[in-house]
Amino acid sequence: MSPLIKPDAGPEDSLIFYDIHTHRRYSQPGVVSILSLAQPDWLAKPEKNYFSVGLHPWFLIKDNLEDDLRLLETLVADPNLKAVGECGLDRLRGASVETQIFALERQIRLAEQIRKPVVLHCVKAFPELIRLKKKLSPAVPLIIHGFNNNLQILRSLLDAGFYITLGAALLRSGSNAAQAIFVIPTDRLFLETDDSGMKIEDIYLQAVALLNIEINQLKSIIRRNFTRLFDQADNI
């Protein structure tokens, strides 16, 4: 089982769930969420809620890349921006891997400038992603969203210093995600809904059932991680 952080539950822990990566636009009582915006939705960013914005590999167009990067630089100045992303690498869909690597490197460098975490999409390109992290050695956290791969890949990512989010796959018995939760150090763990349509509360409840801990203990762990990475980004 993952090493557990001792709970320091306060009154807010009984209320707040943190969903660090979602495509759900409407606010939910008792939930702090980060809305993820890719290129088609950039100009529809929320006025009040937290969000992240990035060049998703599915929507990269090589000829538009410099213009898109310049627009991205203007969007990340918004005070409600919590992260760059999702961005990343995908060998099954999108532009060439070379174009994806170029775009991702630019976005990680941008995240370094503004001192914000990076939320990453990665499909069948984990070795390339790890090599890029070693090349750039970013000070900002790099977070793999929606992890549901085997434990060998997970351990290579943890060894390289990545953070991990788990989502709806946790609820599938025997899934890679349901095994991964026992391996991920709790100070590098987050939960998310992504585009599943599920409630973040249900993902928390599944996580505590697997770990055999109290819900307030998990809330305390995730709250601490969120505060350290997203609310104290300027101290990175």
Side-chain angles (χ1 to χ4, degrees):
M1 181 178 293
S2 304
L4 294 176
I5 301 171
K6 291 182 179 180
D8 59 350
E12 69 274 27
D13 288 300
S14 64
L15 300 175
I16 301 299
F17 294 89
Y18 290 91
D19 183 353
I20 77 148
H21 180 83
T22 186
H23 296 275
R24 181 184 288 119
R25 283 189 166 271
Y26 57 88
S27 299
Q28 295 175 274
V31 176
V32 172
S33 61
I34 300 177
L35 174 67
S36 178
L37 299 178
Q39 294 90 308
D41 299 319
W42 275 1
L43 299 182
K45 65 183 178 67
E47 293 184 4
K48 297 181 179 179
N49 296 337
Y50 294 147
F51 70 97
S52 66
V53 63
L55 284 164
H56 195 291
W58 290 358
F59 308 117
L60 286 177
I61 299 174
K62 186 176 182 179
D63 291 344
N64 297 347
L65 189 52
E66 291 299 333
D67 288 341
D68 286 342
L69 286 165
R70 279 192 290 271
L71 177 56
L72 181 62
E73 289 173 357
T74 67
L75 295 172
V76 298
D78 191 297
N80 287 325
L81 181 100
K82 284 294 184 182
V84 173
E86 70 186 277
C87 50
L89 305 175
D90 193 320
R91 284 194 169 275
L92 300 184
R93 184 173 173 183
S96 69
V97 173
E98 293 74 21
T99 297
Q100 292 184 27
I101 290 173
F102 175 81
L104 179 55
E105 179 170 345
R106 291 281 294 273
Q107 290 175 92
I108 293 174
R109 293 188 185 279
L110 175 61
E112 284 278 270
Q113 293 173 20
I114 63 172
R115 307 178 76 85
K116 298 291 185 182
V118 181
V119 177
L120 292 161
H121 167 105
C122 190
V123 176
K124 297 187 179 298
F126 290 104
E128 292 87 348
L129 185 60
I130 292 170
R131 283 196 294 270
L132 185 59
K133 185 178 188 298
K134 290 180 179 178
K135 171 187 172 183
L136 300 178
S137 297
V140 296
L142 303 187
I143 307 166
I144 305 292
H145 102 82
F147 185 84
N148 190 31
N149 287 273
N150 65 59
L151 296 184
Q152 181 179 354
I153 291 173
L154 175 62
R155 290 189 176 98
S156 68
L157 291 168
L158 294 172
D159 288 345
F162 288 88
Y163 293 77
I164 308 292
T165 78
L166 302 175
L170 269 182
L171 279 79
R172 296 202 296 271
S173 178
S175 69
N176 287 321
Q179 298 175 52
I181 198 167
F182 297 106
V183 177
I184 301 167
T186 49
D187 62 354
R188 284 198 262 167
L189 173 67
F190 290 98
L191 299 174
E192 63 168 74
T193 57
D194 194 18
D195 59 358
S196 66
M198 296 189 64
K199 293 181 178 180
I200 191 65
E201 296 94 321
D202 293 334
I203 294 173
Y204 269 72
L205 289 172
Q206 179 65 8
V208 299
L210 289 168
L211 292 172
N212 192 28
I213 61 175
E214 297 294 328
I215 186 69
N216 273 9
Q217 186 172 1
L218 181 60
K219 286 183 176 183
S220 180
I221 289 166
I222 301 295
R223 177 176 60 84
R224 182 184 288 112
N225 294 346
F226 185 95
T227 299
R228 179 163 47 89
L229 266 66
F230 294 99
D231 287 344
Q232 299 176 354
D234 290 341
N235 296 323
I236 294 170

